Amino acid sequence: MDHDSYSDAYLKGVLEDVRTIAVVGASDNPLRASHFVMKYLGDKGYTIIPINPGQAGKEILGHRVYAALSDLPEPPDMVDVFRNSDAAAGVVDEAIAAGARVVWLQLGVRNDDAARRAEAAGLRVVMNRCPKIEYQRLFGEIGRIGVNSNIITAKKRPVKPTKKLI
Amino acid sequence: MSEKKSFGFETRAIHAGAAPDPTTGARQTPIYQTTSFVFDDVDEAASLFNLQKVGFIYSRLTNPTVAVLEERIANLEGGIGATATASGHAAQLMALFPLLSPGDEFIASTKLYGGSLNQFANTFPRAFGWKAVFADTDTPANVKAALTEKTKAIFVESLANPGGIVTDLEAIATIARDAGIPLIVDNTLASPYLIRPIEWGATLVVHSTTKFLSGNGTSVGGAVVDSGTFDWSKDGKYPALSGPEPGYHGLKFHETFGNLAYTIHGHAVGLRDLGPSQSPFNAFLTLNGIETLHLRMERHSTNALTVARFLESHPAVEWVSYAGLESSKYHALAQKYLPRGAGGIFTFGIKGGYDAGVKLVESVELFSHLANIGDSRSLIIHPSSTTHRQLDAEGQTAAGAGPEVIRLSIGLESADDIIADLAQALEKAVG
């Protein structure tokens, strides 16, 4: 798997396939990037499971917070990792153990050894990307604020509605 | 089709940023002539105002037609995003706005467009406390020598107006990178078809879209493009991007939005608080212009070279300054940076000085005597009596706009007709 560049089809496949996303490093501070991502993906209809040992048992954005991936009653489809590249290695191993199908390391986070272990265990891996940015880019939203989506198409690109309209 | 890794410039000039309208199927980008947009509910409105979701609130910040133009220009320049503005001057204000605080400095080329020199030398320091330190960028060491602790950016033109001046972007970009500050390049005259400054190390690119991007002289506009490559947080030099923004409850743009920070700040703070947004109608016309940018820039360049060669051999002409000519001191730089052509704009010196220059611009019949460039029509101006008259004699000469200088913006007419008009007017002016 080439982790320097991902095809749009690969990223779209991941985002269309998963329904539950565990967010490791979930912050209750509404100004932090992890909070933005949880709010956005939750509004898009994903089930969000915040993971943060300091907030365990409390709620973030109405979602119950768990201390660790090993505490989850059911395997999450995807684990989104807001930790640095070194710390991400352990989280990836926990994601494998928890039965996740996708592990996604945030923009700026990359650990190739951990990615190889996850892929050997049958998980799909995305690194150094943000699922919120990719969702907005692939489904026709990011250009609304002048960002280059790099998408060329002569097909209609309907913007996916928020969960309240589905 | 979207799986192809990279499309050609021509394809992107026509398609980037645009797609058939998702509701109606309209193939051409519609003009969304509306000030405001309804919210689904209070929660969606809150997400939009908190920047947790990008979308449309009010056309001072974002507008669907303008957004297509922004994405197209960002794509053609190889940037991560762009902010469209009401004019090229507004783009310069918007480009510097997140970078400088009162008392800060930026280094600017002495050979910028006269209107830029005026904005930088007079209005910016008086209104904002931003001090422009001018340096002759023909010698890149001058830029290095002008650096101080307060320098927050370097501003140059890729191809400067007037006079066919080509900037050694790679050399200046190295100085900027070593100093840890962004290089801002005005790419108006070259357009991204002839040169893409980001590929040579620029952090930001600004445009007057009024010129070649629009192409027909219909619409005033501008744009700021971000490469997405600069680390705004590394040393606290750029607190507007790295520090808390009070207008958004203390949000830190770079921490939250990563390499999209500059573009999102441009809309969410720059356009929100300074207000120079582009109108949807101007964006629509400019988008239509960009669809033929590649074809036009080729013809502008070949016509200009043909006319420059004619003038170089004309007895009433002292000199011709066009980077496409072998005689130009910028010819080697043009071959490096502008291999597809040296653009449509150049200057020449008429024998007989100021009076002959005035007579020439009053004698042309096909050329339009006006203060613009980058039109499909051929344009002529005598800078020392018009665009550069706000500068003193020394400043005019330093900017390449002395009394004998005539600036031409060569259009897309038949080259023979352009030459014939200049020939008859030179005859009347010099005799």
Side-chain angles (χ1 to χ4, degrees):
Chain A
M1 182 74 203
D2 174 12
H3 290 290
D4 292 323
S5 71
Y6 300 106
S7 73
D8 290 348
Y10 178 72
L11 296 172
K12 215 170 187 171
V14 165
L15 291 170
E16 287 182 331
D17 179 40
V18 304
R19 300 314 310 160
T20 58
I21 302 176
V23 178
V24 176
S27 174
D28 63 341
N29 178 348
L31 298 175
R32 300 307 297 262
S34 64
H35 201 89
F36 271 62
V37 169
M38 287 189 289
K39 170 78 170 108
Y40 180 83
L41 294 177
D43 283 348
K44 288 295 170 188
Y46 294 103
T47 301
I48 302 297
I49 309 163
I51 308 289
N52 181 338
Q55 301 284 325
K58 297 181 187 165
E59 285 193 350
I60 297 177
L61 289 163
H63 310 294
R64 184 186 159 186
V65 183
Y66 289 84
L69 288 170
S70 56
D71 293 344
L72 299 184
E74 287 173 35
D77 295 334
M78 177 168 123
V79 175
D80 183 18
V81 184
F82 282 86
R83 301 289 303 276
N84 69 36
S85 296
D86 291 335
V91 180
V92 170
D93 292 332
E94 291 168 29
I96 297 168
R101 293 185 285 120
V102 177
V103 63
W104 188 307
L105 309 191
Q106 276 297 135
L107 207 54
V109 185
R110 178 164 176 165
N111 190 313
D112 286 30
D113 289 340
R116 270 190 291 276
R117 291 197 297 277
E119 283 167 345
L123 280 76
R124 278 179 285 175
V125 176
V126 180
M127 297 192 285
N128 191 25
R129 297 284 186 120
C130 170
K132 174 176 185 274
I133 291 173
E134 295 306 323
Y135 193 101
Q136 293 175 111
R137 188 178 72 79
L138 292 164
F139 299 110
E141 283 182 36
I142 198 84
R144 291 172 169 190
I145 199 156
V147 171
N148 177 15
S149 69
N150 265 318
I151 305 253
I152 299 289
T153 180
K155 304 284 188 201
K156 289 187 201 175
R157 279 200 296 171
V159 171
K160 292 211 161 186
T162 58
K163 64 179 173 186
K164 297 195 180 78
L165 299 174
I166 291 170
Chain B
M1 281 295 277
S2 65
E3 287 321 298
K4 193 167 176 288
K5 282 227 161 132
S6 60
F7 288 88
F9 186 94
E10 294 82 354
T11 306
R12 293 182 286 121
I14 293 165
H15 289 280
D21 185 80
T23 304
T24 63
R27 178 56 276 214
Q28 187 50 283
T29 300
I31 305 168
Y32 287 92
Q33 192 67 34
T34 180
T35 55
S36 9
F37 303 84
V38 295
F39 307 116
D40 292 341
D41 53 32
V42 169
D43 186 52
E44 196 224 6
S47 289
L48 288 165
F49 279 104
N50 291 340
L51 302 177
Q52 289 158 334
K53 175 181 178 182
V54 294
F56 303 114
I57 298 173
Y58 191 66
S59 286
R60 191 175 78 245
L61 286 77
T62 51
N63 171 280
T65 311
V66 178
V68 174
L69 175 67
E70 292 174 328
E71 187 175 347
R72 181 156 315 161
I73 294 172
N75 184 295
L76 294 179
E77 287 287 4
I80 198 156
T83 307
T85 59
S87 68
H89 266 52
Q92 296 182 158
L93 169 64
M94 287 277 293
L96 293 168
F97 171 66
L99 310 183
L100 275 75
S101 301
D104 284 343
E105 297 176 358
F106 68 106
I107 298 170
S109 165
T110 50
K111 295 193 165 91
L112 300 175
Y113 155 56
S116 301
L117 294 173
N118 205 47
Q119 185 190 38
F120 291 179
N122 300 323
T123 296
F124 280 176
R126 189 176 62 233
F128 307 116
W130 304 343
K131 186 184 172 196
V133 177
F134 291 97
D136 183 344
T137 52
D138 278 0
T139 307
N142 292 340
V143 176
K144 201 169 184 178
L147 288 166
T148 74
E149 297 251 303
K150 293 178 180 172
T151 309
K152 294 296 176 72
I154 299 171
F155 191 106
V156 301
E157 268 185 271
S158 51
L159 180 62
N161 163 26
I165 293 153
V166 183
T167 302
D168 189 349
L169 291 183
E170 205 171 18
I172 310 279
T174 300
I175 293 167
R177 193 171 52 243
D178 291 348
I181 57 176
L183 171 63
I184 308 172
V185 178
D186 179 346
N187 198 31
T188 298
L189 261 68
S191 89
Y193 180 73
L194 296 179
I195 183 169
R196 286 170 298 283
I198 289 170
E199 293 174 3
W200 297 103
T203 300
L204 303 171
V205 175
V206 296
H207 275 283
S208 166
T209 60
T210 313
K211 313 301 184 321
F212 290 111
L213 292 177
S214 156
N216 302 94
T218 59
S219 309
V220 172
V224 185
V225 182
D226 178 30
S227 62
T229 57
F230 196 87
D231 181 357
W232 304 109
S233 299
K234 69 176 183 302
D235 51 15
K237 258 187 184 174
Y238 303 97
L241 294 162
S242 65
E245 164 58 41
Y248 287 97
H249 310 295
L251 175 76
K252 295 175 179 172
F253 274 78
H254 191 222
E255 180 184 293
T256 305
F257 299 116
N259 56 4
L260 307 183
Y262 187 91
T263 300
I264 293 179
H265 186 276
H267 293 81
V269 180
L271 289 178
R272 186 196 64 179
D273 293 347
L274 298 175
S277 45
Q278 188 168 135
S279 83
F281 188 56
N282 280 17
F284 169 81
L285 292 171
T286 303
L287 278 165
N288 280 278
I290 293 174
E291 292 187 1
T292 56
L293 179 67
H294 44 291
L295 298 172
R296 290 185 289 105
M297 292 316 292
E298 276 180 10
R299 184 60 64 86
H300 279 296
S301 296
T302 53
N303 271 2
L305 184 59
T306 305
V307 175
R309 289 207 167 113
F310 159 76
L311 288 171
E312 197 167 41
S313 64
H314 195 283
V317 172
E318 295 269 17
W319 51 264
V320 180
S321 179
Y322 180 56
L325 290 174
E326 290 76 7
S327 59
S328 166
K329 67 186 263 201
Y330 300 102
H331 188 63
L333 287 172
Q335 287 192 307
K336 174 176 176 178
Y337 291 108
L338 300 155
R340 290 168 131 171
I345 293 148
F346 65 89
T347 52
F348 69 95
I350 188 167
K351 283 184 184 164
Y354 189 91
D355 293 341
V358 169
K359 190 82 193 293
L360 181 80
V361 296
E362 290 179 349
S363 301
V364 288
E365 291 169 10
L366 181 64
F367 274 81
S368 302
H369 177 212
L370 55 75
N372 191 28
I373 50 172
D375 197 327
S376 47
R377 280 152 280 272
S378 288
L379 313 175
I380 190 167
I381 204 156
H382 181 221
S384 67
S385 62
T386 53
T387 52
H388 285 61
R389 69 179 303 139
Q390 63 266 51
L391 302 176
D392 58 21
E394 197 183 324
Q396 285 184 355
T397 304
E404 82 288 11
V405 176
I406 302 291
R407 185 187 73 202
L408 302 179
S409 174
I410 301 299
L412 304 174
E413 302 99 332
S414 310
D416 287 350
D417 295 337
I418 299 169
I419 287 171
D421 190 39
L422 284 173
Q424 67 80 23
L426 283 166
E427 176 71 25
K428 284 180 187 146
V430 182

